[in-house]
Amino acid sequence: MAVFFRTPLTDTLAFEMLDARLSSGTDFDGYFNIYGREDELTVTWTRGISAGAFKEQVTDALRSTWQRARFWLVYQRSDSRIDLDINEIRTAAIRLSQGYCETAVVTLSLLGRTDGESDLELIFVCFREDSDRRNFRARYEGKFVPDK
């Protein structure tokens, strides 16, 4: 199935949305993953971890990613738009960004334990150079990207 990268959020808006969810007191199951050519990091939010501890781990990982790749595109996955599964979008983002130097693909899922109304699923595609980010947008954003 083809992937469609929709108009991205600003990173500021993405962080505001993340902060609002983590500060809401709602119970979430959380998953955070950074995939880079040379490393991968996964953080899960299970019942034994506080929202603050999960947020701190995610913040530290995002800060580390920003030090290597400062130019980000942030996409939000939504059931209401009938988007593909976040893992399918992640796989496509990894495949499409491999041609760029020192990219990272970050996925973040916060899924409500009682309902899906406050779910948040974000995909960050992080580039070392702004020209790579602009190129990615021109090539893939707003267009259907076929499976390999």
Side-chain angles (χ1 to χ4, degrees):
M1 179 176 261
V3 175
F4 186 64
F5 288 95
R6 301 191 190 303
T7 304
L9 305 169
T10 65
D11 50 351
T12 302
L13 179 58
F15 295 136
E16 288 172 1
M17 294 168 73
L18 175 60
D19 191 51
R21 297 305 192 290
L22 292 175
S23 301
S24 70
T26 303
D27 285 333
F28 287 101
D29 286 318
Y31 175 81
F32 176 82
N33 177 268
I34 297 175
Y35 177 85
R37 274 194 188 148
E38 298 175 15
D39 58 346
E40 186 168 7
L41 170 72
T42 300
V43 176
T44 57
W45 182 8
T46 58
R47 292 188 189 269
I49 299 175
S50 70
F54 180 76
K55 181 179 178 180
E56 186 176 316
Q57 290 177 333
V58 167
T59 300
D60 289 346
L62 287 171
R63 189 175 292 122
S64 176
T65 300
W66 185 80
Q67 290 172 352
R68 291 188 321 234
R70 296 178 184 230
F71 301 98
W72 296 4
L73 294 171
V74 186
Y75 300 96
Q76 182 178 11
R77 186 209 165 275
S78 174
D79 282 335
S80 66
R81 290 190 308 248
I82 312 171
D83 287 342
L84 294 176
D85 180 85
I86 195 164
N87 289 321
E88 293 171 304
I89 299 169
R90 174 188 180 266
T91 300
I94 290 169
R95 179 174 53 90
L96 296 172
S97 65
Q98 285 180 345
Y100 301 100
C101 184
E102 293 188 44
T103 59
V105 175
V106 177
T107 51
L108 172 70
S109 295
L110 294 177
L111 305 175
R113 290 187 181 138
T114 57
D115 63 49
E117 290 183 32
S118 57
D119 288 358
L120 179 65
E121 294 184 284
L122 302 173
I123 299 97
F124 298 75
V125 185
C126 310
F127 301 92
R128 187 178 79 182
E129 303 292 332
D130 188 37
S131 59
D132 292 342
R133 174 179 59 178
R134 289 191 316 258
N135 184 279
F136 186 92
R137 284 187 81 176
R139 292 180 75 191
Y140 304 115
E141 196 170 290
K143 300 171 183 139
F144 284 97
V145 179
D147 289 337
K148 204 172 192 183

